[in-house]
Amino acid sequence: MTTFETISANVSAGRRIAPDEALFLFNSNDLLAIGELAAMANERKNGLNVFFNVNRHINPTNVCVNRCAFCAFSRTAGEDGAYTLALDEICRRAREAEGEGATEVHIVGGLHPDLAFEFYEETLMAIRHTAPKLHIKAFTAVEIEYFSRISGLPIEQVLERLISAGLGSMPGGGAEILVEEVRQKICPEKISGARWLEIIRLAHLAGLKTNATMLYGHVETASDRIAHMEMLRVLQDETGGFQAFIPLAFQAENSDLKLDITGTSGLDDLKTLAIARIFLDNFDHIKAYWIMLGEKIAQVSLAFGVNDLDGTVVEEKIGHDAGAKTPQAQTKEGIIRLIRKAGKIPVERDTLYHPICSY
Ligand code: V47
Ligand code: SF4
């Protein structure tokens, strides 16, 4: 029989916990006990170090043919508020980021009906030319699949060409909840969960590191969250290509999902991050994205198994179009302060988790 004591014994001994044990934790409200287990699992991997990076997000376009029901960021071409940045403007932002000490640019956008695959290659090449010190983390598995469709090239060739053009790694977006029944409700036009996993698998085989996200706090159940994490854990066993797992707290404003909620609760946020740390024993990093969590919950999460705080960001559209009340940027000093005041050691990292400097 599963009890908290049997789970605790497994985690203490460094044994992997089973999906039904994760469900037991989701059904428990003993947040502090769950947090203590997660903190133990994290300290074993990372000690007191908490990573952060100095980065800038750029969303080249919000025009998207998918129009996922949860997404308040996307627009149809020609609609009020639709935008597409010129290549010059993308480069200007990248150059500015590099000048301000960023080491990474994070680029994701909508699936534009009229831009050719070559535009994305040119974007990478132009950034590499204009801001050569920046690592380019760009394009979700959903975008990669779209590039394959619009170019007629197989996924392997799309990845190869993007890598040649300067792609350094991929973010973890587009995963949402990988369970098909949930996807049909929140993003029926999006690639299936199985296809998302397959593209990430091919990216890992091509030598790219990626992250994995989980959009939670909408129609999904605790079992769906566990099934999602289980699929990631299986793929990670095979490829080892995931760096960080990032739960994304759903921001409910301006979404077409008619839900009776205004957002996730602090208790659910912390429990989800802590259970992720315990369950995903083969992931080195659990990242708190303060944009969606709020700075205070993100800071408290450092005592609940989290070891990475993302990031300086500078300009954020996806969460803020959906009502996020956080600022759009953090200074490096602000992040260092949040981590220090949580009793941890701030470590600036590059995208691939090489330490740059401890504070
Ligand atoms: O895929 C969209 C999510 C993702 C909403 O890999 C929403 O380092 C909450 O993936 N409420 C894009 N989330 C952002 C993303 C990301 C962010 C930070 C770091 C990394 C990384 C990746 O944003 C989308 C979708 O899952 N999203 N709408 C919303 N209303
Ligand atoms: Fe498009 Fe991504 Fe928004 Fe879905 S979540 S509508 S794919 S931008």
Side-chain angles (χ1 to χ4, degrees), residues 60-61 63 84 87 90 107-127 138-139 143 146-147 150 161-162 165-167:
T61 182
V63 175
T84 301
L87 197 49
I90 297 174
I107 302 179
V108 296
L111 311 181
H112 197 290
D114 305 322
L115 294 173
F117 174 54
E118 286 71 21
F119 171 79
Y120 301 94
E121 278 184 300
E122 280 163 26
T123 301
L124 294 175
M125 289 189 277
I127 293 174
F139 309 132
E143 291 169 278
Y146 188 65
F147 298 161
I150 59 178
R161 280 176 56 170
L162 293 175
L167 183 66

PDB file of all heavy atoms in Angstrom, residues 60-61 63 84 87 90 107-127 138-139 143 146-147 150 161-162 165-167:
ATOM      1  N   PRO A  60       9.058  36.940 -32.607  1.00  0.00           N
ATOM      2  CA  PRO A  60       9.070  37.631 -33.900  1.00  0.00           C
ATOM      3  C   PRO A  60       7.678  37.915 -34.468  1.00  0.00           C
ATOM      4  O   PRO A  60       7.485  38.901 -35.152  1.00  0.00           O
ATOM      5  CB  PRO A  60       9.816  36.653 -34.825  1.00  0.00           C
ATOM      6  CG  PRO A  60      10.594  35.773 -33.914  1.00  0.00           C
ATOM      7  CD  PRO A  60       9.806  35.684 -32.648  1.00  0.00           C
ATOM      8  N   THR A  61       6.710  37.058 -34.186  1.00  0.00           N
ATOM      9  CA  THR A  61       5.348  37.321 -34.680  1.00  0.00           C
ATOM     10  C   THR A  61       4.327  36.681 -33.762  1.00  0.00           C
ATOM     11  O   THR A  61       4.601  35.644 -33.150  1.00  0.00           O
ATOM     12  CB  THR A  61       5.156  36.787 -36.128  1.00  0.00           C
ATOM     13  OG1 THR A  61       3.833  37.111 -36.572  1.00  0.00           O
ATOM     14  CG2 THR A  61       5.357  35.282 -36.228  1.00  0.00           C
ATOM     15  N   VAL A  63       1.286  36.227 -35.196  1.00  0.00           N
ATOM     16  CA  VAL A  63       0.335  35.684 -36.170  1.00  0.00           C
ATOM     17  C   VAL A  63       0.501  34.173 -36.194  1.00  0.00           C
ATOM     18  O   VAL A  63       1.615  33.664 -36.350  1.00  0.00           O
ATOM     19  CB  VAL A  63       0.596  36.285 -37.572  1.00  0.00           C
ATOM     20  CG1 VAL A  63      -0.309  35.646 -38.609  1.00  0.00           C
ATOM     21  CG2 VAL A  63       0.397  37.793 -37.533  1.00  0.00           C
ATOM     22  N   THR A  84       4.317  41.494 -36.911  1.00  0.00           N
ATOM     23  CA  THR A  84       5.472  40.683 -37.316  1.00  0.00           C
ATOM     24  C   THR A  84       6.674  41.611 -37.317  1.00  0.00           C
ATOM     25  O   THR A  84       6.638  42.674 -37.961  1.00  0.00           O
ATOM     26  CB  THR A  84       5.261  40.082 -38.724  1.00  0.00           C
ATOM     27  OG1 THR A  84       4.076  39.284 -38.676  1.00  0.00           O
ATOM     28  CG2 THR A  84       6.432  39.209 -39.149  1.00  0.00           C
ATOM     29  N   LEU A  87      13.301  41.851 -39.726  1.00  0.00           N
ATOM     30  CA  LEU A  87      14.576  41.241 -39.357  1.00  0.00           C
ATOM     31  C   LEU A  87      15.501  42.259 -38.668  1.00  0.00           C
ATOM     32  O   LEU A  87      16.181  41.933 -37.686  1.00  0.00           O
ATOM     33  CB  LEU A  87      15.228  40.679 -40.624  1.00  0.00           C
ATOM     34  CG  LEU A  87      16.349  39.670 -40.441  1.00  0.00           C
ATOM     35  CD1 LEU A  87      15.967  38.573 -39.467  1.00  0.00           C
ATOM     36  CD2 LEU A  87      16.733  39.082 -41.791  1.00  0.00           C
ATOM     37  N   ILE A  90      14.552  42.585 -35.044  1.00  0.00           N
ATOM     38  CA  ILE A  90      14.970  41.400 -34.273  1.00  0.00           C
ATOM     39  C   ILE A  90      16.464  41.535 -33.956  1.00  0.00           C
ATOM     40  O   ILE A  90      16.902  41.328 -32.819  1.00  0.00           O
ATOM     41  CB  ILE A  90      14.678  40.099 -35.060  1.00  0.00           C
ATOM     42  CG1 ILE A  90      13.168  39.945 -35.279  1.00  0.00           C
ATOM     43  CG2 ILE A  90      15.250  38.878 -34.349  1.00  0.00           C
ATOM     44  CD1 ILE A  90      12.776  38.771 -36.163  1.00  0.00           C
ATOM     45  N   ILE A 107      13.896  32.723 -28.595  1.00  0.00           N
ATOM     46  CA  ILE A 107      13.014  33.157 -29.681  1.00  0.00           C
ATOM     47  C   ILE A 107      11.911  32.129 -29.923  1.00  0.00           C
ATOM     48  O   ILE A 107      12.200  30.985 -30.303  1.00  0.00           O
ATOM     49  CB  ILE A 107      13.820  33.341 -30.989  1.00  0.00           C
ATOM     50  CG1 ILE A 107      14.931  34.368 -30.747  1.00  0.00           C
ATOM     51  CG2 ILE A 107      12.924  33.765 -32.133  1.00  0.00           C
ATOM     52  CD1 ILE A 107      15.797  34.621 -31.956  1.00  0.00           C
ATOM     53  N   VAL A 108      10.671  32.519 -29.702  1.00  0.00           N
ATOM     54  CA  VAL A 108       9.537  31.675 -30.113  1.00  0.00           C
ATOM     55  C   VAL A 108       8.447  32.582 -30.659  1.00  0.00           C
ATOM     56  O   VAL A 108       8.323  33.729 -30.252  1.00  0.00           O
ATOM     57  CB  VAL A 108       8.949  30.810 -28.965  1.00  0.00           C
ATOM     58  CG1 VAL A 108       9.932  29.799 -28.449  1.00  0.00           C
ATOM     59  CG2 VAL A 108       8.409  31.647 -27.817  1.00  0.00           C
ATOM     60  N   GLY A 109       7.654  32.053 -31.568  1.00  0.00           N
ATOM     61  CA  GLY A 109       6.587  32.866 -32.136  1.00  0.00           C
ATOM     62  C   GLY A 109       5.464  32.015 -32.678  1.00  0.00           C
ATOM     63  O   GLY A 109       5.452  30.790 -32.535  1.00  0.00           O
ATOM     64  N   GLY A 110       4.487  32.702 -33.309  1.00  0.00           N
ATOM     65  CA  GLY A 110       3.349  32.007 -33.907  1.00  0.00           C
ATOM     66  C   GLY A 110       3.741  31.311 -35.209  1.00  0.00           C
ATOM     67  O   GLY A 110       4.841  31.509 -35.727  1.00  0.00           O
ATOM     68  N   LEU A 111       2.811  30.506 -35.713  1.00  0.00           N
ATOM     69  CA  LEU A 111       3.027  29.803 -36.991  1.00  0.00           C
ATOM     70  C   LEU A 111       2.447  30.698 -38.083  1.00  0.00           C
ATOM     71  O   LEU A 111       1.236  30.697 -38.328  1.00  0.00           O
ATOM     72  CB  LEU A 111       2.319  28.441 -36.973  1.00  0.00           C
ATOM     73  CG  LEU A 111       2.561  27.561 -35.729  1.00  0.00           C
ATOM     74  CD1 LEU A 111       1.827  26.231 -35.857  1.00  0.00           C
ATOM     75  CD2 LEU A 111       4.063  27.325 -35.515  1.00  0.00           C
ATOM     76  N   HIS A 112       3.327  31.499 -38.702  1.00  0.00           N
ATOM     77  CA  HIS A 112       2.872  32.524 -39.649  1.00  0.00           C
ATOM     78  C   HIS A 112       2.524  31.892 -40.999  1.00  0.00           C
ATOM     79  O   HIS A 112       3.315  31.114 -41.534  1.00  0.00           O
ATOM     80  CB  HIS A 112       3.984  33.574 -39.807  1.00  0.00           C
ATOM     81  CG  HIS A 112       3.491  34.844 -40.412  1.00  0.00           C
ATOM     82  ND1 HIS A 112       3.110  34.934 -41.720  1.00  0.00           N
ATOM     83  CD2 HIS A 112       3.285  36.075 -39.878  1.00  0.00           C
ATOM     84  CE1 HIS A 112       2.701  36.163 -41.980  1.00  0.00           C
ATOM     85  NE2 HIS A 112       2.803  36.875 -40.864  1.00  0.00           N
ATOM     86  N   PRO A 113       1.374  32.264 -41.573  1.00  0.00           N
ATOM     87  CA  PRO A 113       0.971  31.602 -42.833  1.00  0.00           C
ATOM     88  C   PRO A 113       1.813  31.995 -44.044  1.00  0.00           C
ATOM     89  O   PRO A 113       1.859  31.253 -45.023  1.00  0.00           O
ATOM     90  CB  PRO A 113      -0.488  32.045 -43.026  1.00  0.00           C
ATOM     91  CG  PRO A 113      -0.629  33.292 -42.211  1.00  0.00           C
ATOM     92  CD  PRO A 113       0.337  33.168 -41.063  1.00  0.00           C
ATOM     93  N   ASP A 114       2.494  33.165 -43.993  1.00  0.00           N
ATOM     94  CA  ASP A 114       3.165  33.643 -45.214  1.00  0.00           C
ATOM     95  C   ASP A 114       4.681  33.676 -45.157  1.00  0.00           C
ATOM     96  O   ASP A 114       5.319  33.957 -46.167  1.00  0.00           O
ATOM     97  CB  ASP A 114       2.685  35.080 -45.542  1.00  0.00           C
ATOM     98  CG  ASP A 114       1.182  35.142 -45.650  1.00  0.00           C
ATOM     99  OD1 ASP A 114       0.614  34.168 -46.194  1.00  0.00           O
ATOM    100  OD2 ASP A 114       0.578  36.110 -45.159  1.00  0.00           O
ATOM    101  N   LEU A 115       5.276  33.443 -44.000  1.00  0.00           N
ATOM    102  CA  LEU A 115       6.745  33.489 -43.947  1.00  0.00           C
ATOM    103  C   LEU A 115       7.305  32.140 -44.401  1.00  0.00           C
ATOM    104  O   LEU A 115       6.777  31.085 -44.031  1.00  0.00           O
ATOM    105  CB  LEU A 115       7.221  33.793 -42.519  1.00  0.00           C
ATOM    106  CG  LEU A 115       6.877  35.188 -41.971  1.00  0.00           C
ATOM    107  CD1 LEU A 115       7.265  35.288 -40.498  1.00  0.00           C
ATOM    108  CD2 LEU A 115       7.587  36.273 -42.781  1.00  0.00           C
ATOM    109  N   ALA A 116       8.394  32.199 -45.177  1.00  0.00           N
ATOM    110  CA  ALA A 116       8.999  30.949 -45.667  1.00  0.00           C
ATOM    111  C   ALA A 116      10.021  30.451 -44.646  1.00  0.00           C
ATOM    112  O   ALA A 116      10.514  31.222 -43.808  1.00  0.00           O
ATOM    113  CB  ALA A 116       9.689  31.212 -46.998  1.00  0.00           C
ATOM    114  N   PHE A 117      10.353  29.175 -44.744  1.00  0.00           N
ATOM    115  CA  PHE A 117      11.358  28.587 -43.852  1.00  0.00           C
ATOM    116  C   PHE A 117      12.664  29.389 -43.889  1.00  0.00           C
ATOM    117  O   PHE A 117      13.328  29.590 -42.871  1.00  0.00           O
ATOM    118  CB  PHE A 117      11.593  27.119 -44.248  1.00  0.00           C
ATOM    119  CG  PHE A 117      12.709  26.469 -43.498  1.00  0.00           C
ATOM    120  CD1 PHE A 117      12.736  26.466 -42.111  1.00  0.00           C
ATOM    121  CD2 PHE A 117      13.757  25.846 -44.189  1.00  0.00           C
ATOM    122  CE1 PHE A 117      13.778  25.867 -41.405  1.00  0.00           C
ATOM    123  CE2 PHE A 117      14.800  25.247 -43.494  1.00  0.00           C
ATOM    124  CZ  PHE A 117      14.815  25.258 -42.101  1.00  0.00           C
ATOM    125  N   GLU A 118      13.014  29.888 -45.082  1.00  0.00           N
ATOM    126  CA  GLU A 118      14.277  30.631 -45.239  1.00  0.00           C
ATOM    127  C   GLU A 118      14.320  31.858 -44.327  1.00  0.00           C
ATOM    128  O   GLU A 118      15.387  32.268 -43.876  1.00  0.00           O
ATOM    129  CB  GLU A 118      14.469  31.075 -46.710  1.00  0.00           C
ATOM    130  CG  GLU A 118      14.853  29.945 -47.658  1.00  0.00           C
ATOM    131  CD  GLU A 118      13.721  28.962 -47.940  1.00  0.00           C
ATOM    132  OE1 GLU A 118      12.535  29.333 -47.748  1.00  0.00           O
ATOM    133  OE2 GLU A 118      13.989  27.810 -48.338  1.00  0.00           O
ATOM    134  N   PHE A 119      13.154  32.449 -44.024  1.00  0.00           N
ATOM    135  CA  PHE A 119      13.124  33.614 -43.129  1.00  0.00           C
ATOM    136  C   PHE A 119      13.715  33.247 -41.759  1.00  0.00           C
ATOM    137  O   PHE A 119      14.459  34.025 -41.161  1.00  0.00           O
ATOM    138  CB  PHE A 119      11.685  34.125 -42.960  1.00  0.00           C
ATOM    139  CG  PHE A 119      11.558  35.183 -41.889  1.00  0.00           C
ATOM    140  CD1 PHE A 119      11.925  36.502 -42.140  1.00  0.00           C
ATOM    141  CD2 PHE A 119      11.094  34.862 -40.618  1.00  0.00           C
ATOM    142  CE1 PHE A 119      11.836  37.470 -41.144  1.00  0.00           C
ATOM    143  CE2 PHE A 119      10.999  35.823 -39.611  1.00  0.00           C
ATOM    144  CZ  PHE A 119      11.373  37.135 -39.882  1.00  0.00           C
ATOM    145  N   TYR A 120      13.397  32.047 -41.299  1.00  0.00           N
ATOM    146  CA  TYR A 120      13.866  31.643 -39.962  1.00  0.00           C
ATOM    147  C   TYR A 120      15.367  31.336 -39.991  1.00  0.00           C
ATOM    148  O   TYR A 120      16.091  31.655 -39.053  1.00  0.00           O
ATOM    149  CB  TYR A 120      13.043  30.452 -39.465  1.00  0.00           C
ATOM    150  CG  TYR A 120      11.573  30.800 -39.401  1.00  0.00           C
ATOM    151  CD1 TYR A 120      10.704  30.513 -40.455  1.00  0.00           C
ATOM    152  CD2 TYR A 120      11.065  31.500 -38.311  1.00  0.00           C
ATOM    153  CE1 TYR A 120       9.370  30.882 -40.412  1.00  0.00           C
ATOM    154  CE2 TYR A 120       9.729  31.879 -38.254  1.00  0.00           C
ATOM    155  CZ  TYR A 120       8.883  31.564 -39.321  1.00  0.00           C
ATOM    156  OH  TYR A 120       7.571  31.948 -39.270  1.00  0.00           O
ATOM    157  N   GLU A 121      15.801  30.733 -41.094  1.00  0.00           N
ATOM    158  CA  GLU A 121      17.255  30.524 -41.261  1.00  0.00           C
ATOM    159  C   GLU A 121      17.978  31.863 -41.289  1.00  0.00           C
ATOM    160  O   GLU A 121      18.999  32.051 -40.616  1.00  0.00           O
ATOM    161  CB  GLU A 121      17.532  29.802 -42.584  1.00  0.00           C
ATOM    162  CG  GLU A 121      17.356  28.307 -42.550  1.00  0.00           C
ATOM    163  CD  GLU A 121      17.750  27.708 -43.896  1.00  0.00           C
ATOM    164  OE1 GLU A 121      17.124  28.088 -44.919  1.00  0.00           O
ATOM    165  OE2 GLU A 121      18.667  26.877 -43.934  1.00  0.00           O
ATOM    166  N   GLU A 122      17.437  32.803 -42.068  1.00  0.00           N
ATOM    167  CA  GLU A 122      18.072  34.128 -42.171  1.00  0.00           C
ATOM    168  C   GLU A 122      18.093  34.826 -40.817  1.00  0.00           C
ATOM    169  O   GLU A 122      19.052  35.518 -40.470  1.00  0.00           O
ATOM    170  CB  GLU A 122      17.315  35.007 -43.181  1.00  0.00           C
ATOM    171  CG  GLU A 122      17.681  34.700 -44.613  1.00  0.00           C
ATOM    172  CD  GLU A 122      16.647  35.250 -45.601  1.00  0.00           C
ATOM    173  OE1 GLU A 122      15.942  36.235 -45.275  1.00  0.00           O
ATOM    174  OE2 GLU A 122      16.535  34.668 -46.694  1.00  0.00           O
ATOM    175  N   THR A 123      17.025  34.656 -40.057  1.00  0.00           N
ATOM    176  CA  THR A 123      16.968  35.280 -38.723  1.00  0.00           C
ATOM    177  C   THR A 123      18.134  34.779 -37.875  1.00  0.00           C
ATOM    178  O   THR A 123      18.843  35.560 -37.231  1.00  0.00           O
ATOM    179  CB  THR A 123      15.622  34.945 -38.034  1.00  0.00           C
ATOM    180  OG1 THR A 123      14.577  35.434 -38.854  1.00  0.00           O
ATOM    181  CG2 THR A 123      15.527  35.565 -36.650  1.00  0.00           C
ATOM    182  N   LEU A 124      18.332  33.469 -37.865  1.00  0.00           N
ATOM    183  CA  LEU A 124      19.423  32.906 -37.057  1.00  0.00           C
ATOM    184  C   LEU A 124      20.774  33.426 -37.545  1.00  0.00           C
ATOM    185  O   LEU A 124      21.622  33.841 -36.744  1.00  0.00           O
ATOM    186  CB  LEU A 124      19.398  31.376 -37.121  1.00  0.00           C
ATOM    187  CG  LEU A 124      18.181  30.676 -36.493  1.00  0.00           C
ATOM    188  CD1 LEU A 124      18.250  29.170 -36.752  1.00  0.00           C
ATOM    189  CD2 LEU A 124      18.092  30.937 -35.002  1.00  0.00           C
ATOM    190  N   MET A 125      20.954  33.421 -38.859  1.00  0.00           N
ATOM    191  CA  MET A 125      22.256  33.856 -39.402  1.00  0.00           C
ATOM    192  C   MET A 125      22.497  35.332 -39.083  1.00  0.00           C
ATOM    193  O   MET A 125      23.606  35.724 -38.718  1.00  0.00           O
ATOM    194  CB  MET A 125      22.315  33.613 -40.912  1.00  0.00           C
ATOM    195  CG  MET A 125      22.418  32.130 -41.233  1.00  0.00           C
ATOM    196  SD  MET A 125      22.756  31.761 -42.958  1.00  0.00           S
ATOM    197  CE  MET A 125      21.154  31.825 -43.685  1.00  0.00           C
ATOM    198  N   ALA A 126      21.437  36.132 -39.188  1.00  0.00           N
ATOM    199  CA  ALA A 126      21.586  37.565 -38.927  1.00  0.00           C
ATOM    200  C   ALA A 126      21.915  37.813 -37.447  1.00  0.00           C
ATOM    201  O   ALA A 126      22.755  38.655 -37.127  1.00  0.00           O
ATOM    202  CB  ALA A 126      20.309  38.304 -39.325  1.00  0.00           C
ATOM    203  N   ILE A 127      21.286  37.080 -36.563  1.00  0.00           N
ATOM    204  CA  ILE A 127      21.588  37.262 -35.126  1.00  0.00           C
ATOM    205  C   ILE A 127      23.018  36.826 -34.851  1.00  0.00           C
ATOM    206  O   ILE A 127      23.765  37.484 -34.128  1.00  0.00           O
ATOM    207  CB  ILE A 127      20.596  36.463 -34.238  1.00  0.00           C
ATOM    208  CG1 ILE A 127      19.194  37.048 -34.365  1.00  0.00           C
ATOM    209  CG2 ILE A 127      21.042  36.448 -32.775  1.00  0.00           C
ATOM    210  CD1 ILE A 127      18.133  36.254 -33.639  1.00  0.00           C
ATOM    211  N   ALA A 138      16.004  28.647 -29.645  1.00  0.00           N
ATOM    212  CA  ALA A 138      14.858  29.093 -30.442  1.00  0.00           C
ATOM    213  C   ALA A 138      14.000  27.941 -30.937  1.00  0.00           C
ATOM    214  O   ALA A 138      14.474  26.817 -31.079  1.00  0.00           O
ATOM    215  CB  ALA A 138      15.349  29.897 -31.653  1.00  0.00           C
ATOM    216  N   PHE A 139      12.742  28.237 -31.163  1.00  0.00           N
ATOM    217  CA  PHE A 139      11.744  27.415 -31.850  1.00  0.00           C
ATOM    218  C   PHE A 139      11.327  26.182 -31.041  1.00  0.00           C
ATOM    219  O   PHE A 139      12.128  25.308 -30.727  1.00  0.00           O
ATOM    220  CB  PHE A 139      12.253  26.976 -33.231  1.00  0.00           C
ATOM    221  CG  PHE A 139      12.777  28.113 -34.078  1.00  0.00           C
ATOM    222  CD1 PHE A 139      13.999  28.017 -34.735  1.00  0.00           C
ATOM    223  CD2 PHE A 139      12.053  29.298 -34.186  1.00  0.00           C
ATOM    224  CE1 PHE A 139      14.494  29.073 -35.507  1.00  0.00           C
ATOM    225  CE2 PHE A 139      12.543  30.355 -34.947  1.00  0.00           C
ATOM    226  CZ  PHE A 139      13.761  30.243 -35.608  1.00  0.00           C
ATOM    227  N   GLU A 143       6.924  24.638 -33.789  1.00  0.00           N
ATOM    228  CA  GLU A 143       7.440  25.449 -34.902  1.00  0.00           C
ATOM    229  C   GLU A 143       8.297  24.600 -35.848  1.00  0.00           C
ATOM    230  O   GLU A 143       8.211  24.741 -37.072  1.00  0.00           O
ATOM    231  CB  GLU A 143       8.252  26.636 -34.352  1.00  0.00           C
ATOM    232  CG  GLU A 143       7.384  27.662 -33.648  1.00  0.00           C
ATOM    233  CD  GLU A 143       8.208  28.684 -32.871  1.00  0.00           C
ATOM    234  OE1 GLU A 143       8.621  28.369 -31.728  1.00  0.00           O
ATOM    235  OE2 GLU A 143       8.441  29.787 -33.388  1.00  0.00           O
ATOM    236  N   TYR A 146       6.153  22.763 -38.104  1.00  0.00           N
ATOM    237  CA  TYR A 146       5.553  23.677 -39.088  1.00  0.00           C
ATOM    238  C   TYR A 146       6.564  24.018 -40.187  1.00  0.00           C
ATOM    239  O   TYR A 146       6.224  24.063 -41.367  1.00  0.00           O
ATOM    240  CB  TYR A 146       5.080  24.945 -38.362  1.00  0.00           C
ATOM    241  CG  TYR A 146       4.289  25.882 -39.223  1.00  0.00           C
ATOM    242  CD1 TYR A 146       3.044  25.512 -39.742  1.00  0.00           C
ATOM    243  CD2 TYR A 146       4.771  27.155 -39.541  1.00  0.00           C
ATOM    244  CE1 TYR A 146       2.307  26.383 -40.535  1.00  0.00           C
ATOM    245  CE2 TYR A 146       4.050  28.029 -40.335  1.00  0.00           C
ATOM    246  CZ  TYR A 146       2.812  27.640 -40.819  1.00  0.00           C
ATOM    247  OH  TYR A 146       2.091  28.502 -41.616  1.00  0.00           O
ATOM    248  N   PHE A 147       7.815  24.225 -39.803  1.00  0.00           N
ATOM    249  CA  PHE A 147       8.861  24.520 -40.803  1.00  0.00           C
ATOM    250  C   PHE A 147       8.987  23.339 -41.772  1.00  0.00           C
ATOM    251  O   PHE A 147       9.201  23.521 -42.966  1.00  0.00           O
ATOM    252  CB  PHE A 147      10.224  24.759 -40.140  1.00  0.00           C
ATOM    253  CG  PHE A 147      10.272  25.933 -39.198  1.00  0.00           C
ATOM    254  CD1 PHE A 147      11.288  26.034 -38.249  1.00  0.00           C
ATOM    255  CD2 PHE A 147       9.320  26.949 -39.257  1.00  0.00           C
ATOM    256  CE1 PHE A 147      11.350  27.116 -37.370  1.00  0.00           C
ATOM    257  CE2 PHE A 147       9.370  28.036 -38.377  1.00  0.00           C
ATOM    258  CZ  PHE A 147      10.393  28.110 -37.429  1.00  0.00           C
ATOM    259  N   ILE A 150       5.999  23.606 -44.188  1.00  0.00           N
ATOM    260  CA  ILE A 150       6.018  24.679 -45.195  1.00  0.00           C
ATOM    261  C   ILE A 150       7.186  24.525 -46.172  1.00  0.00           C
ATOM    262  O   ILE A 150       7.132  25.022 -47.282  1.00  0.00           O
ATOM    263  CB  ILE A 150       6.000  26.106 -44.574  1.00  0.00           C
ATOM    264  CG1 ILE A 150       7.206  26.332 -43.650  1.00  0.00           C
ATOM    265  CG2 ILE A 150       4.698  26.356 -43.830  1.00  0.00           C
ATOM    266  CD1 ILE A 150       7.270  27.749 -43.056  1.00  0.00           C
ATOM    267  N   ARG A 161      19.636  22.236 -40.962  1.00  0.00           N
ATOM    268  CA  ARG A 161      19.813  23.567 -41.563  1.00  0.00           C
ATOM    269  C   ARG A 161      19.766  24.661 -40.506  1.00  0.00           C
ATOM    270  O   ARG A 161      20.509  25.642 -40.577  1.00  0.00           O
ATOM    271  CB  ARG A 161      18.764  23.797 -42.653  1.00  0.00           C
ATOM    272  CG  ARG A 161      19.209  23.097 -43.935  1.00  0.00           C
ATOM    273  CD  ARG A 161      18.237  23.172 -45.055  1.00  0.00           C
ATOM    274  NE  ARG A 161      17.834  24.529 -45.448  1.00  0.00           N
ATOM    275  CZ  ARG A 161      17.136  24.776 -46.553  1.00  0.00           C
ATOM    276  NH1 ARG A 161      16.812  23.777 -47.371  1.00  0.00           N
ATOM    277  NH2 ARG A 161      16.770  26.003 -46.846  1.00  0.00           N
ATOM    278  N   LEU A 162      18.900  24.492 -39.517  1.00  0.00           N
ATOM    279  CA  LEU A 162      18.819  25.513 -38.462  1.00  0.00           C
ATOM    280  C   LEU A 162      20.091  25.510 -37.613  1.00  0.00           C
ATOM    281  O   LEU A 162      20.581  26.567 -37.207  1.00  0.00           O
ATOM    282  CB  LEU A 162      17.577  25.293 -37.589  1.00  0.00           C
ATOM    283  CG  LEU A 162      16.229  25.512 -38.296  1.00  0.00           C
ATOM    284  CD1 LEU A 162      15.068  25.147 -37.373  1.00  0.00           C
ATOM    285  CD2 LEU A 162      16.068  26.958 -38.788  1.00  0.00           C
ATOM    286  N   ALA A 165      22.673  27.291 -39.364  1.00  0.00           N
ATOM    287  CA  ALA A 165      22.426  28.739 -39.384  1.00  0.00           C
ATOM    288  C   ALA A 165      22.689  29.386 -38.027  1.00  0.00           C
ATOM    289  O   ALA A 165      22.686  30.605 -37.912  1.00  0.00           O
ATOM    290  CB  ALA A 165      20.994  29.012 -39.831  1.00  0.00           C
ATOM    291  N   GLY A 166      22.868  28.560 -36.961  1.00  0.00           N
ATOM    292  CA  GLY A 166      23.202  29.164 -35.659  1.00  0.00           C
ATOM    293  C   GLY A 166      22.353  28.713 -34.483  1.00  0.00           C
ATOM    294  O   GLY A 166      22.555  29.196 -33.365  1.00  0.00           O
ATOM    295  N   LEU A 167      21.396  27.806 -34.719  1.00  0.00           N
ATOM    296  CA  LEU A 167      20.565  27.352 -33.594  1.00  0.00           C
ATOM    297  C   LEU A 167      21.425  26.600 -32.575  1.00  0.00           C
ATOM    298  O   LEU A 167      22.172  25.688 -32.928  1.00  0.00           O
ATOM    299  CB  LEU A 167      19.454  26.415 -34.118  1.00  0.00           C
ATOM    300  CG  LEU A 167      18.461  25.900 -33.072  1.00  0.00           C
ATOM    301  CD1 LEU A 167      17.616  27.043 -32.515  1.00  0.00           C
ATOM    302  CD2 LEU A 167      17.542  24.833 -33.676  1.00  0.00           C
TER     303      LEU A 167
END
